[in-house]
Amino acid sequence: MLLASAVLLGVAAVWALAAGVLAYTLGIRFRQALLYVPFKLVYRIRDDATRDARAATAPVIYVVSHQSRIEPALMLSLLPDDTLHILDEASADAHWLDPWRTLARNIVFNAEHVFVSRRLVRVLRGKGRLAVYFPDSVEPDVKSFRLFRAVARIAMQADARIVPIFVGGARHLPSSLTPPKQAPRSWFPRLGIAALAPMTIAELSERAGVAHTTSANAFFDRFAEARLAAAELDGGLFHAMCDAAERFGSSRTIVEDVVTGALSYRMLMTGARVIGRRLEAVSAPGDAVGVLLPNANGLVIALMGLVSAARVAAMVNYTAGPANVASAVKTAEIRVVVSSKAFIEKADLADVVAAIEQAGARMLWLEELRKGVSAPEKAAAALQWHRPLRPQNASKPAVILFTSGSEGTPKAVVLSHRNLIANAMQAEARISISPADKLLNVLPAFHSFGLTGGTILPLLTGVRLFLYPSPLHYKLIPDIARKARPTIMFGTDTFLSAYARTAEDGDFSSLRFVVAGAEPVRQETRRVWRDRFGAEIVEGYGLTEAAPVVAVNTATHNRDGTVGRLLPGIRMRLEPVEGVSEGGQLWLTGPNMMMGYMTADRPGELQPLDGWHDTGDIVSVDREGFLTIRGRAKRFAKIAGEMVSLGAVEMLVQSLWPEEHHAAVAVPDKRKGERIVLVTTAGNADAETLRLYGKQAGVADLMVPHDIVKVGELPVLGSGKTDYVTARRMAIEQLGLAAA
C-alpha cells in the first residue's frame, strides 16, 4: 500500500513538475498545463507557434481546423483562458471533455447553420477572443463555405485579427473525423501545431495582391496557408517519403507500372538504396546526374536513389532532340546519365545517346547496375531502407529540369528539396486527394508537371501511382485507364483530346476529375470529357520555375476559361505592359519558387533567383482571385504600333473551329512591322470566313490573321505544349518569308 502510494505521489510530482515547466515555457496557466501534459507526452507535440498565437492583440479570432476530437481539448489547454470557444454539438456533449471545458467559456454552435451574432461582435469589440472550429475540408462545399463568409463578416465588423491554427497529423489519430480509407489511423503520430501571424481581413485582402478580392476568399486562402505551414518542409525529399511510409504503411502499394508491376514504400526505398550505392561510386555529393528514363518504377527508384545519395537528378528531356539534349548536358555539367538499354532501343534514341556521349557524359545502364547486386547487399538495403545514404539538406538542389524551349533555347531550372515538397503540399492544401485515390500519370518526369504533380505529390500523400511510359500512345492509354481504374489523371489539352477520340465511353468512367495544364483547355475538350466520361477537367497554371503549380481550379472554386486561383503561400504582383489595357505581367514569389537558373553561357553556375520571378505571362485577375492567361509577353505581336495577344487570336479561332488545333504566330512584315499567321489543322479554314467571324465577335481587324497555313498536325513538344518555334518556322517557309 505504501509502495503504491509512493508511486502515485511520484507520478503526481512528475506530472506537476512537467506542468510547471510547460506553464512557464508556453505562458499558459498551471491548470491548463496539467491537462495538456498527457497530450504533450503522448504525441510529442511541436507547440512553439502557440506562444505567438496567445500573444495576439485582442480582438482576435482563432480559427481552428477541426480534424479530430482532440482539437478542442488542445485549444482549451493552450489558448488564453479568456477565449470564448464556439464548439460543435459533439464536442459540447462529450463527457471526456468536461475537465477541459472548465478551462474557458464555451458555447455550442451547429456548423450546419450560418451565424452572424451581434453578441460575438460585442465580445470582440470588448477586446475579446473567439475560437471557432471549422470542419476539416480542403474543398468545402457551398454550405460550408458560408461559414467563411460569416466569420469574415464578424471579423470585419469588430475589426478583429484572425489567427488560423492547424494541428498537423491530427487527421490520422484514432479520433479523426475523416473516414479511415482517406486517412489511415495511427495511435501515436507526432503532432505539430501551426499558427499564423494575426491579420485583419483588410490586411489579408491587400496582401492577396488582388484588387477588391472578397473577404471570404482572402480568409479561405489564409486558412489554407495554415495547413501548408504544418507540413514538414525541412527534412528533404527522402525523409518526407519515409514519413509518408510511416503514415500510410510501409507495406502499402504505392507505385505501379505496366512492365514490372507494383511496389510498396519499403520495396521502393530498398531499391533506391541499392541503386543509390551504385551511383555514389561514379559521382560526388552535389553532382548533377542525368536521368533518361520513361515513366516506370525504375525512374522513381533512380530518382530516390540519387536523393538518398545527396546527388542532383537532372531530368533529361529525350524528346527535345540531340542538339538540345547535348546543350542540357553541358549546361548542367552532367558527367553521368542513368538510362535503360531496353528503353533506348524501343524509343529509338541512339542519336540522343550519341549526342550525350559527344557532350562529355557517360551512360550508366540500369540493367548492368542490377546485375551486380548481391543477396547480402539486398538484405542490408532492406533493413536500412528508411535511412539515407548521405545527410539530407532541404535547402540544397534536388532536381534540375529544363524549360520547354517552346520559344527558344531551354534553360536549366534548379529546384531544391524544399521547393518540391512545398509545391506538393500547396497542391494538397488546395485539391482534395487522399490514399483512397489512384492517379494515372502519363506525363513524362522531365516535365515539371509530370514530376511534381504526377510523381512526387502522390508518393508523399499516399495516393497510389500508376505510371505509363508515354503520353503519345493515344490508342493504348484509354485501355490502360479501363483496366487500372484511376480516380485522378493529369494531362494537357492536346493529349486529352487525342485520348477522347480513340476511347470508348467507359474507359475513363472511374475518374473523379482530370487536372489539365501546360496549355489552354478548349471548351470542346472540356465538353467531351464531361459528357462522355462524366469527368470534370479542372484547369491549372504553372511553370517549371515554380516547381511547377501556381494556380488551379477546384471543386469549390472553379471557373471555366480561367486557370483557377493561386495556391497557398504564393504571392503575386502585376506589372503594367505597354499596349495591354486588361491585366499585366505576372511576377511571383513563394516557397516553391526555384533556386535559380543555369544557362548555356554559364554552365554549372547557379544564377540565384532574387526574390520575385518574372513569369513572362500576361494575366488578368477578377475580384474572386481567378487568373486568366492573356498570353505570353513574348507571344504578343506589335502590329502598326498596337500590341495584339497571339493567345487571344487562338481563342477567337478556336471558337470558330472548335474541333481543330491552332497556333497563331507573328512573322515579319515590311509595312506593319509584324503580322499574324494562323497555323491550323482545320482543312476548311479560310481567311474570309475568319474575317467575318471576327467582325461579328467585335474584335479589331488587327487581330484577324489574313494568312493561313494548313498542316496535318501541329508540332508538339514532349510535354504536350505547342512547339511555337517550329510552327513559326513552318509558317515562314510556306509563305516564302525565309529571306526576310
Side-chain angles (χ1 to χ4, degrees), residues 36 215 340 632:
Y36 177 57
S215 58
S340 159
R632 294 282 295 162

Side-chain angles (χ1 to χ4, degrees), residues 103-119:
L103 295 174
R105 295 179 301 154
N106 51 84
I107 59 174
V108 184
F109 163 62
N110 184 345
E112 293 293 315
H113 304 293
V114 175
F115 69 100
V116 180
S117 169
R118 293 178 183 175
R119 175 190 170 190

Side-chain angles (χ1 to χ4, degrees), residues 143-186:
K143 183 183 290 186
S144 299
F145 197 75
R146 289 188 299 175
L147 188 56
F148 284 93
R149 295 193 181 95
V151 173
R153 201 174 303 127
I154 290 171
M156 289 175 66
Q157 290 178 11
D159 195 28
R161 294 170 178 82
I162 286 179
V163 177
I165 297 176
F166 188 90
V167 183
R171 72 193 311 257
H172 297 285
L173 290 167
S175 60
S176 173
L177 301 175
T178 304
K181 192 176 180 181
Q182 298 176 14
R185 303 302 195 244
S186 176

